[in-house]
Amino acid sequence: MNPKEQPDQDFAGISPAEFFYRNRQMAGFGNPTQAVYSTVRELIENSLDACEDAGRPPMVTLSTVAEDANTITITVEDNGSGLPYDEVAQAFGRVLYGSKYERRQRRGTFGLGVTMAILYGQITTDSPVFVHTQSSEGPGREYGLLIDIENNSPIVVSEAAQDRCSLGTSVSISLKGDIKRAQDRIVDYLRLTTVGTPNARIAFDINGEIQGSFGPWTSEMARQSIPVKPHPRAVDLELLRRLLKEFRGDTIHDFLVASFQQLGVRTASKLLAFMGIDPKIPTEALTRQDYSRLCQGMRHFNGFSSPDGRCLSPIGEVPFIRGVSSVFNPSLLSYTRQGVFEWEGNPVILEGVLALGDAFPPADTPTLYRLANRVPLLYDASEDVLTKVVKQVNWRRYGFSKPQPVGLFLNVSSTRIPYRAAGKQSLAHISEIEEGASLLLKSLGRFLNGKISSSGAASRNRRKRREYSELIGIVAKYSSALAGYDSPPSTGPIVNKLFEVGEDE
Ligand SMILES: Nc1ncnc2c1ncn2[C@@H]1O[C@H](COP(=O)(O)OP(=O)(O)OP(=O)(O)O)[C@@H](O)[C@H]1O
Ligand SMILES: [Mg+2]
């Protein structure tokens, strides 16, 4: 083609901050109501991660103040680990920067959440975020920060020493948004957050008026997840290249043992024999073809154990049951767990609680509450793999011949949650997760079998008993007053007799 015929085109690169500024709906900041909800969610998530890092039961306060008809300031304060001063500007003023890229379960994943909220606040109100942080390392400090969107770097507008009497972090963001429309979702989110993190206390106030507080439902601390090495089946050419760059030893055999989990001395020898590679080859002598061979071999060798689950922190049976019981007050409930199983070398644990009670709307299938790494997912349910699996189950077989008030709580724990988008609201259709969830639901369904009708009768019976007890009490009160007695006789035995109460009632 003649160069003169080429159309004029301007080429340019953009920064990650610019990308998310242009595509903010991908991260959950598509409209003012969703932006308020996402800001709350990102701040609370970070606070809970920081409290677990500090090993303290989370005490988190969410406050919102209406600045004018459609501008609000959202502040979340925690008793977490705090941040080193020299990381504050980057952590809050640079998109895709954070402390959670290691291989262990955290609520945060991308290094994006709070910076998106700050960016949204900045473009809608032109005001900086205020971050105050105080750790056991030193006195408190407050920062005012903006993001230079074109260059993806922080602009520090103020910085001053400021001691507060408590340790932790508080983050204040002003943004255009509609708290009234977002409020119900926020309250649902906070309640469900304490189901996933039952040792947390979360308080919520609007314009200085306390709206409520949730938890703690247990004092039991969540199991701390620990960072692990990659599983051999998680390998790809890029990971292999990076691990080889970090390796300070000599042979390929030593490299495999040092760099991967579930790959001890004996397994490494078997793997290399399987691939026909000499275990004594120095890693420096490996060619590009060897890299491909290694990757292929590691993905197809079937002598590895499942991934190490110590990098995960599931809710656990007793805390999960406590959380659901405290928030929904069900009459019956059951817990089951699947895993550790694996997808693409990543460990996964699935936990489920099925609960029966008046708090759940009667329906043909259980009402699904989704959690991922303990975080409730309240948007995009129809696209989620867990919704799909719940729909596939034949619930009539488990007692749903007519609508039933049943809640189903599913929590997926993994070092890599397969979110469909950066807004972290729904899970992609991963076949291993689908199979695991399907097994879990079968086991929970079996528990439900036969219990639904009997528990329905039991709850009707309890209601009737309460009503009779109140009425008989009133009759006893007035008749004893008429007869001139000081106090009415006990009516308990009469009610018990009427309802033939046994030991289990
Ligand atoms: N309340 C807090 N206490 C301590 N550190 C915090 C707090 N909030 C944010 N940080 C630090 O700031 C970093 C960036 O937070 P951000 O929410 O943008 O990303 P993330 O939590 O790592 O991942 P995600 O994008 O999934 O939220 C975090 O990784 C953490 O190191
Ligand atoms: Mg975060």
Side-chain angles (χ1 to χ4, degrees):
M1 190 194 277
N2 182 336
K4 282 197 179 145
E5 289 169 19
Q6 281 196 347
D8 268 352
Q9 282 180 339
D10 288 333
F11 287 84
I14 59 167
S15 77
E18 176 83 30
F19 174 82
F20 282 105
Y21 161 62
R22 293 176 188 212
N23 300 291
R24 42 195 178 271
Q25 77 291 344
M26 284 171 67
F29 289 81
N31 62 59
T33 311
Q34 210 190 11
V36 171
Y37 171 77
S38 296
T39 300
V40 168
R41 179 193 142 134
E42 297 296 348
L43 292 176
I44 299 266
E45 239 182 78
N46 283 351
S47 287
L48 295 176
D49 275 341
C51 292
E52 275 165 20
D53 282 348
R56 287 194 275 272
M59 307 270 280
V60 178
T61 305
L62 160 69
S63 321
T64 66
V65 174
E67 306 293 348
D68 60 41
N70 58 359
T71 307
I72 56 165
T73 299
I74 300 177
T75 304
V76 170
E77 194 171 343
D78 62 57
N79 60 335
S81 56
L83 288 97
Y85 302 143
D86 55 356
E87 291 290 2
V88 173
Q90 296 289 327
F92 291 91
R94 181 168 154 196
V95 171
L96 303 184
Y97 187 91
S99 59
K100 305 178 194 168
Y101 296 124
E102 57 191 5
R103 216 167 271 98
R104 75 180 172 107
Q105 177 186 328
R106 311 294 297 275
R107 293 170 183 79
T109 310
F110 301 123
L112 176 70
V114 76
T115 36
M116 271 314 295
I118 295 165
L119 195 149
Y120 189 88
Q122 176 176 325
I123 61 174
T124 55
T125 67
D126 198 27
S127 45
V129 58
F130 288 97
V131 180
H132 180 272
T133 191
Q134 187 157 339
S135 70
S136 44
E137 306 289 297
R141 221 168 166 73
E142 187 178 78
Y143 298 79
L145 300 163
L146 289 166
I147 302 174
D148 172 350
I149 298 175
E150 281 178 87
N151 294 306
N152 191 26
S153 61
I155 303 169
V156 181
V157 293
S158 63
E159 184 183 345
Q162 196 194 101
D163 258 1
R164 294 191 184 165
C165 50
S166 52
L167 299 182
T169 302
S170 99
V171 182
S172 251
I173 299 174
S174 298
L175 68 152
K176 290 267 182 242
D178 189 341
I179 182 74
K180 286 213 178 77
R181 295 186 115 192
Q183 192 173 333
D184 288 350
R185 276 277 161 106
I186 290 175
V187 170
D188 282 351
Y189 170 77
L190 298 180
R191 285 163 70 218
L192 283 168
T193 296
T194 60
V195 170
T197 309
N199 67 337
R201 176 184 190 273
I202 305 182
F204 176 26
D205 69 67
I206 299 183
N207 294 332
E209 262 180 53
I210 294 172
Q211 304 293 307
S213 93
F214 304 100
W217 314 125
T218 173
S219 56
E220 203 173 306
M221 286 296 287
R223 181 175 93 186
Q224 278 268 11
S225 58
I226 55 166
V228 294
K229 292 189 248 179
H231 189 274
R233 275 193 291 267
V235 81
D236 58 29
L237 285 168
E238 178 61 19
L239 178 64
L240 192 64
R241 194 185 56 73
R242 288 187 200 180
L243 293 171
L244 280 162
K245 208 165 132 200
E246 278 167 22
F247 179 57
R248 294 282 160 264
D250 182 18
T251 65
I252 177 72
H253 185 273
D254 291 351
F255 163 71
L256 292 173
V257 174
S259 308
F260 293 94
Q261 57 165 284
Q262 318 299 15
L263 229 171
V265 174
R266 286 211 342 248
T267 313
S269 305
K270 281 190 203 156
L271 171 66
L272 289 167
F274 167 77
M275 293 187 287
I277 296 179
D278 177 0
K280 296 214 174 60
I281 292 188
T283 50
E284 272 148 23
L286 290 171
T287 62
R288 289 183 84 89
Q289 278 110 322
D290 291 333
Y291 282 25
S292 304
R293 249 168 88 200
L294 264 169
C295 272
Q296 289 284 333
M298 285 162 86
R299 284 181 159 262
H300 292 107
F301 180 68
N302 61 9
F304 303 121
S305 309
S306 300
D308 188 342
R310 287 174 307 158
C311 53
L312 301 183
S313 171
I315 303 170
E317 178 166 0
V318 174
F320 204 168
I321 284 185
R322 280 266 165 80
V324 175
S325 304
S326 310
V327 175
F328 293 92
N329 194 22
S331 52
L332 262 180
L333 78 185
S334 169
Y335 169 97
T336 307
R337 160 184 162 150
Q338 282 287 321
V340 180
F341 61 89
E342 168 191 350
W343 81 277
E344 292 189 359
N346 305 291
V348 186
I349 293 176
L350 275 172
E351 299 172 280
V353 167
L354 200 66
L356 195 67
D358 297 338
F360 309 109
D364 295 333
T365 60
T367 305
L368 176 62
Y369 299 85
R370 299 168 295 137
L371 298 111
N373 284 352
R374 300 159 165 269
V375 177
L377 311 180
L378 299 191
Y379 281 93
D380 303 340
S382 60
E383 298 164 11
D384 196 298
V385 65
L386 299 177
T387 307
K388 178 183 166 197
V389 179
V390 171
K391 279 193 184 150
Q392 280 168 350
V393 174
N394 177 5
W395 291 99
R396 294 178 75 84
R397 194 195 276 176
Y398 301 121
F400 279 72
S401 49
K402 58 178 194 304
Q404 298 295 345
V406 174
L408 171 62
F409 299 79
L410 294 178
N411 178 46
V412 182
S413 301
S414 181
T415 41
R416 193 168 148 219
I417 297 280
Y419 291 115
R420 296 175 68 97
K424 300 187 285 188
Q425 287 300 338
S426 63
L427 309 187
H429 291 216
I430 302 295
S431 57
E432 290 86 346
I433 294 186
E434 207 171 317
E435 279 160 30
S438 179
L439 288 172
L440 188 100
L441 293 193
K442 283 197 181 113
S443 135
L444 286 172
R446 278 195 293 275
F447 153 81
L448 208 56
N449 224 348
K451 297 229 167 57
I452 281 185
S453 49
S454 57
S455 107
S459 111
R460 277 193 301 280
N461 230 13
R462 273 199 299 275
R463 202 171 50 236
K464 249 188 185 168
R465 182 172 187 268
R466 229 180 8 252
E467 288 165 4
Y468 272 76
S469 171
E470 272 169 28
L471 287 174
I472 294 174
I474 292 169
V475 173
K477 189 172 150 201
Y478 285 110
S479 39
S480 51
L482 280 174
Y485 292 132
D486 287 345
S487 59
S490 161
T491 54
I494 307 172
V495 179
N496 282 352
K497 197 145 194 231
L498 258 174
F499 287 85
E500 292 180 350
V501 178
E503 286 289 288
D504 54 340
E505 281 281 315

